[in-house]
Amino acid sequence: MLSALLVMAALAIVLGAVLGFAAIKFHVEGNPLVDKIDAILPQTQCGQCSFPGCKPYATAIAAGEADINRCPPGGVEGIQKLADLLGVDFKPFGGDTAAPKPKSVAIIDESTCIGCTLCIQACPVDAIVGAAKQMHTIIAAECTGCELCVAPCPVDCISMQVIEEKISNWKWKYPVYSLVTAQ
Amino acid sequence: MRTLYHFHGGVHPPSNKTQSTRLAIAPAPLPSRLIVPLHQHAGETAKPVVQAGDHVLKGQLIGMPDGFVSSAVHAPTSGTIAAIDMQLIAHPSGLPNLCATLIPDGKDEWIELEPVKNYRDHSTTELQHLLRMAGVVGLGGAAFPSDIKLRLGKQKIKTLILNGAECEPYITCDDMLMRERAAEIVQGAEILRFMLDADEVLYGVEDNKPEAIAALQQAITASGSALQQSKRHEVVAIPTIYPGGSAKQLIRVLTGLEVPSGKLPTDIGVQCFNVATAYTVHRALAHGEPLLSRIVTVAGNVREARNYEALIGTPIDELVALSEALPDTNGYIMGGPMMGFALPGMSGPGPAVHVPMVKATNCIIVSSEKLFPPPPPAMPCIRCTRCVEVCPADLQPQDLFWFAQSKEFGRAQTFSLFDCIECGACSYVCPSHIPLVQYYRFAKSEIRAREHDKQLADQARDRHEFHEQRIEREKREKAEKLAAKEKAAQAAKLAAQPLTAEQQAELANLATSREHIRELAQSAVEHTTENTGAN
Ligand code: SF4
Ligand code: SF4
Ligand code: SF4
Ligand code: SF4
């Protein structure tokens, strides 16, 4: 009886030490839930969710302060993924969020650009290059299509262009064919 | 006698090969124009280096390889570049891509060729570069740049496999090439063996091609002295079963080795090249000829099925006209009936959109309703597992179908969707006529697109974080600069201020007291000298 107690006590001490050590050794910086949510968000950084970027929205979701259906670029699939992660029910887009749009990139009309640098300051991912009084241009591969640079331009030379289907981004379609159901 | 191994499954569709092997390979006449796509290979599109209006010679570079996985593109004959623009190409999407259109001048005038006298004097890296600039890509169908496959990794390559299996119905271009040009294939194979430093070369040919097997064997014997340095070239007749010509399956049959999921053959010490690729490697090095033409089978609903040696860029309708499509033609398939796809913009007989043939075009099947009746309507999966029995990749096609249909991509991936070689054996036997492969292709491209989006999102996250840090830093630096500026300004202000009356009085006081001290000191000195003088 006593030996059993001793064994159990020793075991508890050893395991406790292991757990304590693991907690220190494998300590994760930051809030893992926020990071998990942030990993699902599309990182467009557009602010359409009414938060100043994806991370703040992720933080708000994790804190239970925001709904999961506020990110238009993430689409319905994004909501589904958030619902799966958080173990909550799927929710369609709310009335106050914009409808998802096809993915686009911004294009600067280089002949109109006056080099005011306002768009550079607006771009959340530094996808615009240019210097004061010089023509500006957008690195299409890095543009997330957030549209934040469109409004600040004083000469309206930035427009959004939908990314068109090319051989390089073409996808096989979902099969369509006639089906007979078994009698 | 070599022991052969089996792979799981496989099917025996009617081969339909004899129709196109009755006649020898015929050179296709110069077409009215050539449309040469700049993206004919796996990897990056070649960069055009000529302009509309330029006169080019046969073999002149018109597309420069651009990026690590890329290959060169050349003018297939001499003539004038009419345009460099988007043209419809042979791609299942039916979308256009960048092409150079060449109007031949009829002279077929070559650039100066620079053959490699003895490839053994060159390093593998040099030879790789030559092959890249000669536009040599795999001619078995995937058109993967050959120079990349010849890069040596850590793993020693023991076996080089020359793929002459040609397991798909209708296609006979490799068969005819082996029958007619075996010697050059063997020489090309020896170049590849030399570059890879492989111990043995195995030619895997299905046993329904006895003439090709005999021709290869004879070529090896005949070139005995030239191949002295070669360790071993051996032709192996393998059983005829579809898809025995697929790389992983062929490796399994010849060596008994299994290429693990997600690995390359080179990881287990094997490399595989198509026989036609070996032929092209030989032409590229020994003759300095870039890849300008290939053998294409034209078969199906035609008066005379045959193999042609045609220039890359030949409009497919002009090629098919040589074999005369029959009046009830309703379409054209590039590749075989199992893995090929219907060409866009080409349906009835006679002239249609000029979709050009490319380096990957091994066969054009002219179809008709009689040859390929439309599939009966599909029915729900009855879980008969016939697809499982025939799957050469040992997968569970009915489960993959289920996951792809319900877009459960994660589960499809855990069921090894990416090990599926899209051979179509499962669709071929499915009693419910479900277009299974279409589902797998759909699922694969959705998964790839998602992975790409994920990469972009990660990149955007990093850039955004960097952006925030930069803004933060700039703010701090600005604040620091401002503080430093203020301090400096204060000091300067202090120095420039005029003196008040009090301060002036103080300063004057200081001056008078200094004067006074000096006088006192002076008198003391004088005093001392007086005293000394008196002594
Ligand atoms: S709405 Fe825009 S900022 Fe908000 S989470 Fe979605 S992509 Fe990010
Ligand atoms: S360039 Fe414009 S649209 Fe693109 S990421 Fe920057 S601010 Fe957004
Ligand atoms: S062969 Fe067709 S019906 Fe049978 S299990 Fe496979 S998918 Fe289902
Ligand atoms: S297409 Fe894919 S799943 Fe179907 S038999 Fe071939 S390898 Fe197996």
Side-chain angles (χ1 to χ4, degrees):
Chain A
M1 179 64 197
L2 189 68
S3 63
L5 274 177
L6 282 175
V7 165
M8 289 316 276
L11 216 62
I13 289 166
V14 169
L15 288 176
V18 167
L19 279 176
F21 173 74
I24 296 162
K25 169 103 199 210
F26 303 111
H27 178 70
V28 188
E29 274 306 323
N31 184 339
L33 183 60
V34 172
D35 288 342
K36 270 189 203 151
I37 297 172
D38 196 41
I40 293 174
L41 297 177
Q43 306 303 318
T44 310
Q45 315 291 0
C46 61
Q48 289 183 73
C49 49
S50 76
F51 291 89
C54 304
K55 190 86 177 241
Y57 179 41
T59 316
I61 295 179
E65 287 158 7
D67 250 335
I68 55 168
N69 62 348
R70 306 200 52 89
C71 170
V76 173
E77 222 183 287
I79 303 180
Q80 186 61 57
K81 278 194 194 149
L82 287 173
D84 290 347
L85 173 72
L86 301 167
V88 297
D89 283 339
F90 173 84
K91 237 185 209 175
F93 275 110
D96 60 331
T97 38
K101 278 193 246 176
K103 204 166 155 22
S104 328
V105 288
I107 307 273
I108 294 185
D109 174 2
E110 295 175 353
S111 57
T112 321
C113 170
I114 53 168
C116 68
T117 76
L118 285 176
C119 57
I120 295 197
Q121 292 164 38
C123 179
V125 291
D126 292 341
I128 309 181
V129 286
K133 305 215 179 71
Q134 308 257 308
M135 177 203 73
H136 287 34
T137 189
I138 290 169
I139 312 166
E142 266 144 27
C143 170
T144 65
C146 70
E147 302 189 12
L148 292 181
C149 54
V150 177
C153 178
V155 290
D156 269 345
C157 71
I158 306 181
S159 57
M160 300 304 295
Q161 257 183 25
V162 174
I163 299 174
E164 55 179 288
E165 189 173 54
K166 290 178 299 233
I167 297 234
S168 53
N169 64 12
W170 175 79
K171 295 189 281 185
W172 286 93
K173 304 289 173 288
Y174 193 81
V176 197
Y177 52 90
S178 52
L179 182 89
V180 292
T181 39
Q183 272 88 42
Chain B
M1 192 61 198
R2 180 171 279 275
T3 5
L4 294 181
Y5 302 82
H6 283 288
F7 61 87
H8 179 265
V11 288
H12 292 278
S15 78
N16 282 307
K17 284 178 188 270
T18 47
Q19 300 93 317
S20 55
T21 50
R22 279 192 284 257
L23 297 164
I25 299 172
L30 212 54
S32 63
R33 61 166 142 173
L34 290 152
I35 306 148
V36 188
L38 288 154
H39 189 241
Q40 303 189 31
H41 42 263
E44 302 291 320
T45 305
K47 230 205 252 122
V49 290
V50 289
Q51 284 166 354
D54 285 2
H55 184 266
V56 291
L57 294 177
K58 180 173 185 154
Q60 186 176 330
L61 187 76
I62 58 173
M64 184 65 125
D66 189 19
F68 179 62
V69 182
S70 186
S71 197
V73 177
H74 302 82
T77 184
S78 59
T80 312
I81 302 285
I84 294 191
D85 56 2
M86 301 298 269
Q87 299 274 344
L88 204 58
I89 60 158
H91 190 270
S93 66
L95 291 169
N97 212 354
L98 196 62
C99 296
T101 306
L102 174 73
I103 306 294
D105 60 11
K107 291 188 222 151
D108 212 25
E109 197 183 330
W110 274 99
I111 45 155
E112 206 179 309
L113 298 179
E114 289 169 26
V116 173
K117 276 200 200 73
N118 190 354
Y119 61 87
R120 287 174 204 271
D121 296 341
H122 294 262
S123 72
T124 306
T125 326
E126 278 169 6
L127 296 176
Q128 273 166 8
H129 182 71
L130 289 175
L131 293 180
R132 175 177 159 101
M133 291 312 292
V136 177
V137 300
L139 296 183
F144 196 81
S146 299
D147 57 305
I148 308 285
K149 283 176 76 178
L150 287 161
R151 261 162 221 277
L152 299 176
K154 274 181 235 103
Q155 179 70 40
K156 150 114 185 100
I157 303 295
K158 188 174 160 283
T159 309
L160 167 64
I161 291 177
L162 266 282
N163 189 344
E166 200 163 53
C167 59
E168 263 220 61
Y170 286 96
I171 311 177
T172 58
C173 56
D174 289 348
D175 185 4
M176 293 310 289
L177 189 77
M178 288 187 282
R179 290 190 202 189
E180 295 185 17
R181 304 180 195 176
E184 289 173 284
I185 294 174
V186 171
Q187 284 173 42
E190 177 53 21
I191 299 176
L192 292 169
R193 191 209 60 75
F194 167 76
M195 289 177 74
L196 291 167
D197 194 25
D199 298 340
E200 56 174 358
V201 184
L202 302 180
Y203 298 75
V205 187
E206 284 195 343
D207 54 15
N208 61 357
K209 302 179 201 34
E211 297 90 343
I213 293 171
L216 280 176
Q217 259 156 356
Q218 206 190 346
I220 292 168
T221 328
S223 59
S225 56
L227 294 181
Q228 319 151 330
Q229 285 170 355
S230 93
K231 316 253 160 66
R232 213 158 129 226
H233 285 245
E234 185 185 339
V235 186
V236 187
I238 56 168
T240 299
I241 183 167
Y242 179 84
S246 173
K248 286 189 176 183
Q249 280 63 37
L250 183 61
I251 291 170
R252 167 104 190 126
V253 168
L254 289 175
T255 66
L257 297 171
E258 192 87 50
V259 183
S261 173
K263 293 271 191 220
L264 293 170
T266 43
D267 294 327
I268 55 164
V270 183
Q271 187 57 295
C272 225
F273 284 94
N274 180 271
V275 284
T277 314
Y279 171 79
T280 314
V281 166
H282 169 72
R283 297 298 305 183
L285 296 182
H287 300 268
E289 288 172 14
L291 175 49
L292 304 183
S293 64
R294 66 158 297 149
I295 316 291
V296 196
T297 308
V298 178
N301 196 36
V302 288
R303 201 180 53 77
E304 193 174 70
R306 187 168 196 175
N307 280 281
Y308 297 94
E309 176 158 25
L311 296 176
I312 307 299
T314 302
I316 284 170
D317 49 348
E318 287 192 34
L319 184 67
V320 169
L322 302 174
S323 278
E324 287 174 50
L326 299 177
D328 61 336
T329 294
N330 66 358
Y332 301 82
I333 298 165
M334 181 172 126
M338 302 292 282
M339 294 180 76
F341 60 91
L343 286 171
M346 299 179 69
S347 44
V353 187
H354 292 260
V355 178
M357 63 165 273
V358 288
K359 292 175 185 176
T361 311
N362 49 7
C363 177
I364 302 293
I365 302 176
V366 180
S367 69
S368 70
E369 204 158 319
K370 220 164 80 215
L371 275 179
F372 301 101
M379 290 198 284
C381 169
I382 51 168
R383 297 194 78 81
C384 65
T385 67
R386 269 192 229 174
C387 49
V388 181
E389 278 157 37
V390 298
C391 177
D394 236 332
L395 304 174
Q396 301 285 324
Q398 84 286 22
D399 289 339
L400 290 176
F401 158 64
W402 187 258
F403 298 138
Q405 187 196 35
S406 54
K407 303 186 188 166
E408 288 175 73
F409 299 127
R411 300 199 65 188
Q413 262 177 298
T414 47
F415 274 67
S416 311
L417 172 65
F418 280 91
D419 284 349
C420 163
I421 56 169
E422 297 174 24
C423 67
C426 51
S427 323
Y428 181 74
V429 297
C430 177
S432 290
H433 307 291
I434 304 171
L436 296 165
V437 180
Q438 287 183 38
Y439 278 101
Y440 308 147
R441 286 180 172 155
F442 156 73
K444 282 184 187 178
S445 71
E446 283 298 324
I447 292 168
R448 285 200 194 100
R450 277 174 175 68
E451 275 168 5
H452 181 69
D453 285 351
K454 181 103 188 64
Q455 263 175 19
L456 288 183
D458 287 345
Q459 196 184 317
R461 183 183 299 110
D462 289 350
R463 290 184 69 86
H464 181 57
E465 270 166 22
F466 178 77
H467 169 86
E468 305 236 281
Q469 277 168 17
R470 184 175 62 86
I471 299 283
E472 212 31 56
R473 197 188 61 222
E474 275 172 7
K475 249 197 219 153
R476 208 176 49 233
E477 279 173 3
K478 231 184 199 166
E480 276 166 12
K481 246 190 210 157
L482 217 71
K485 239 188 192 161
E486 245 163 49
K487 228 172 161 181
Q490 240 166 25
K493 218 159 106 197
L494 224 76
Q497 245 165 21
L499 297 176
T500 56
E502 238 171 71
Q503 281 171 324
Q504 273 171 1
E506 212 170 279
L507 228 70
N509 264 348
L510 213 70
T512 32
S513 56
R514 267 199 202 126
E515 195 63 22
H516 184 67
I517 291 168
R518 214 171 286 137
E519 270 166 27
L520 277 180
Q522 191 63 35
S523 65
V525 171
E526 275 164 19
H527 218 73
T528 336
T529 18
E530 264 170 39
N531 285 352
T532 4
N535 279 348

